[in-house]
Amino acid sequence: MTDDRVGLAKFNGLPESAAVAAVLGCCSSPVWARSLVAGRPYADIDAVCDAADAVLAELSEDEIDRALDGHPRIGARPDTAASAREQAGVAGAEDAVRAGLAEGNLAYEEKFGHIYLVCATGKSGAELLELLTARLGNDPETERRVMRTELAKINRIRLGRLLGESA
């Protein structure tokens, strides 16, 4: 596994295309990435994260769907080092929990039309299943807000790692 840290100073000085490529690893929305990069230079990591939240809040639903495309299902094989780190709590989950996540993911996608996204960092498979089950009770508008909040949390963790904070 390679270290994906860039550091804030280097990020501020990267050519635009390289900076966009770097932050696309945090959130796969091209609009989000370009907007975040356009705000450089940033004084500190908190400023980057605050800008990331502000850009995310303004994204269209189509662009949010692009951001979701960069995340595997909870409990599925992670496709990036970031996802593997974030879903580490699922790796040792019991078969019943894994089966519950698989079944719950399908029910969620059928109900809401997109993947179940949750900030999985530090949570066990059982906790993630419990959250999924609870969120299935949300109406679509509420769930869309919850999902955006979870996406912002994930973006902050990934940006912190990219820019040199411990994740």
Side-chain angles (χ1 to χ4, degrees):
M1 201 177 304
T2 61
D3 188 1
D4 52 2
R5 295 172 201 267
V6 171
L8 180 63
K10 184 175 178 183
F11 172 71
N12 279 332
L14 284 174
E16 182 177 351
S17 62
V20 167
V23 297
L24 279 170
C26 300
C27 179
S28 63
S29 160
V31 171
W32 178 88
R34 286 191 304 269
S35 296
L36 187 62
V37 167
R40 294 179 305 160
Y42 292 100
D44 55 36
I45 295 169
D46 286 338
V48 178
C49 289
D50 290 346
D53 289 349
V55 171
L56 184 69
E58 297 299 319
L59 289 182
S60 70
E61 292 304 321
D62 285 344
E63 203 59 29
I64 290 293
D65 290 340
R66 285 190 181 97
L68 292 176
D69 289 343
H71 296 272
R73 285 185 176 120
I74 296 293
R77 179 181 304 268
D79 54 359
T80 65
S83 291
R85 276 189 303 274
E86 294 158 2
Q87 291 195 39
V90 177
E94 296 177 11
D95 290 342
V97 170
R98 289 177 160 286
L101 284 168
E103 183 179 310
N105 278 324
L106 294 176
Y108 182 98
E109 290 169 24
E110 186 174 306
K111 180 173 183 177
F112 297 114
H114 58 83
I115 66 162
Y116 161 57
L117 184 78
V118 63
C119 182
T121 300
K123 294 178 181 72
S124 69
E127 289 172 298
L128 294 169
L129 178 56
E130 184 178 322
L131 289 167
L132 170 56
T133 302
R135 285 175 54 188
L136 279 168
N138 288 343
D139 63 83
E141 184 178 320
T142 299
E143 184 53 31
R144 203 71 180 173
R145 281 193 311 269
V146 170
M147 177 270 299
R148 278 180 177 257
T149 299
E150 294 298 307
L151 182 57
K153 291 176 191 176
I154 295 165
N155 290 347
R156 280 180 166 268
I157 290 168
R158 290 181 176 187
L159 284 167
R161 182 170 182 80
L162 175 74
L163 301 177
E165 281 187 347
S166 46

